[in-house]
Amino acid sequence: MTPRAPRMPVRAALLLAVLLASAGCTGPAADRPAEDRALLTEQQAELLALARFTNYRSAAGIVSATIPVPGRTLRLDGRLDWRAHTGYAELRDETPGAATHWRHLLRWNRTTVSARFNWTGPRPDKPPADGWNERLLQPRSATVDSTLILLLSLGSDRPENAQLLVRSSARVVGHEKLSGVPVTVFSGPGTDTGTGTGTGDVPATAAPSAPGTPGRTRYWIDADGGLRRFAARLGGSGTWMTADITRQPPPPTTPAASAPP
């Protein structure tokens, strides 16, 4: 019997499908219709398969994201812990011409988000001990919430299944440089049309998609499989959430205690 490919937990897979359900199909990178682009080579599939695992091995990363909210310009800057599935960041309104601009501190996990509203000083290195307002995340109706969950989803404790990626609708859509580093730009797999898993653009569960079905995510990946930028088209805004990511070194390992003499 052929072994089954690793899959995300069903709950997480279904949630990510909801986040991208109403997305469009054009991207922020140079793009052509999916049917005009060749299938991934094995080497390209391996590169895409490593992206989320590389983040997980790094444990944490710095993120700077632009979030598409109609009529507003929102920026999120902070850090992600892909092993603990938590984030801590500053969310600010940078809408040009707005009479006022607010800043909030956010900390979140995969189910809840807490905010310290109208923060005025620099973002503390550690979250303040009190003053937080907590609520459940609402990815079905809130673009910011969808973004928070997607950012945490960019870490996985195992590589994706490269063979499934080869058979999916994932494609290479361009080659660029980010801060002088060459990257390959991938369009993620489109919505699963044949297996009933409902996993959408999540590469870990990428089953063969219908020919020409474009993905609604983009991945800028360096030669080592490191994810440098991620983008997703969310909701009905018609624009893309784009996040630049800088991985942090993994935490040092604790030296083993020496044996007593």
Side-chain angles (χ1 to χ4, degrees):
M1 179 180 294
T2 303
R4 297 183 63 185
R7 292 189 177 274
M8 291 180 62
V10 172
R11 182 179 180 277
L14 292 176
L15 181 56
L16 286 171
V18 168
L19 302 186
L20 297 167
S22 59
C25 62
T26 57
D31 208 351
R32 292 179 292 163
E35 60 269 21
D36 293 342
R37 302 194 298 269
L39 296 172
L40 297 184
T41 66
E42 290 187 5
Q43 183 178 7
Q44 291 167 341
E46 290 287 351
L47 196 64
L48 181 56
L50 283 174
R52 296 170 66 239
F53 181 56
T54 301
N55 282 346
Y56 183 85
R57 287 192 302 179
S58 295
I62 303 299
V63 62
S64 180
T66 301
I67 304 177
V69 175
R72 314 298 294 181
T73 301
L74 301 186
R75 292 281 302 180
L76 181 80
D77 289 287
R79 63 176 183 262
L80 306 168
D81 186 328
W82 289 297
R83 294 184 185 177
H85 309 294
T86 59
Y88 170 56
E90 172 188 301
L91 179 68
R92 63 185 182 273
D93 182 357
E94 294 186 346
T95 306
T100 59
H101 294 90
W102 47 258
R103 295 169 59 228
H104 306 325
L105 297 182
L106 300 181
R107 62 181 185 184
W108 72 98
N109 55 34
R110 290 182 291 187
T111 58
T112 63
V113 58
S114 299
R116 280 286 305 256
F117 295 113
N118 299 314
W119 189 260
T120 56
R123 183 177 78 244
D125 290 337
K126 296 182 179 180
D130 54 18
W132 295 93
N133 294 274
E134 182 178 295
R135 63 172 175 81
L136 293 175
L137 286 165
Q138 300 176 355
R140 292 174 181 264
S141 58
T143 301
V144 171
D145 290 12
S146 300
T147 297
L148 299 181
I149 294 176
L150 280 172
L151 292 175
L152 293 185
S153 80
L154 296 177
S156 175
D157 62 358
R158 68 192 70 186
E160 320 295 357
N161 188 310
Q163 293 303 312
L164 290 183
L165 285 172
V166 167
R167 301 198 302 271
S168 76
S169 59
R171 299 290 186 268
V172 170
V173 298
H175 299 274
E176 300 177 8
K177 285 188 176 181
L178 295 179
S179 300
V181 177
V183 293
T184 301
V185 188
F186 292 88
S187 170
T191 303
D192 172 14
T193 59
T195 65
T197 59
T199 52
D201 281 65
V202 184
T205 55
S209 301
T213 302
R216 296 180 292 263
T217 50
R218 298 290 183 270
Y219 302 80
W220 284 253
I221 301 175
D222 64 29
D224 297 323
L227 182 63
R228 299 275 179 152
R229 177 176 291 170
F230 171 77
R233 193 171 184 180
L234 301 176
S237 66
T239 56
W240 289 66
M241 180 277 288
T242 302
D244 287 318
I245 295 167
T246 303
R247 299 189 313 278
Q248 294 182 315
T253 56
T254 303
S258 57

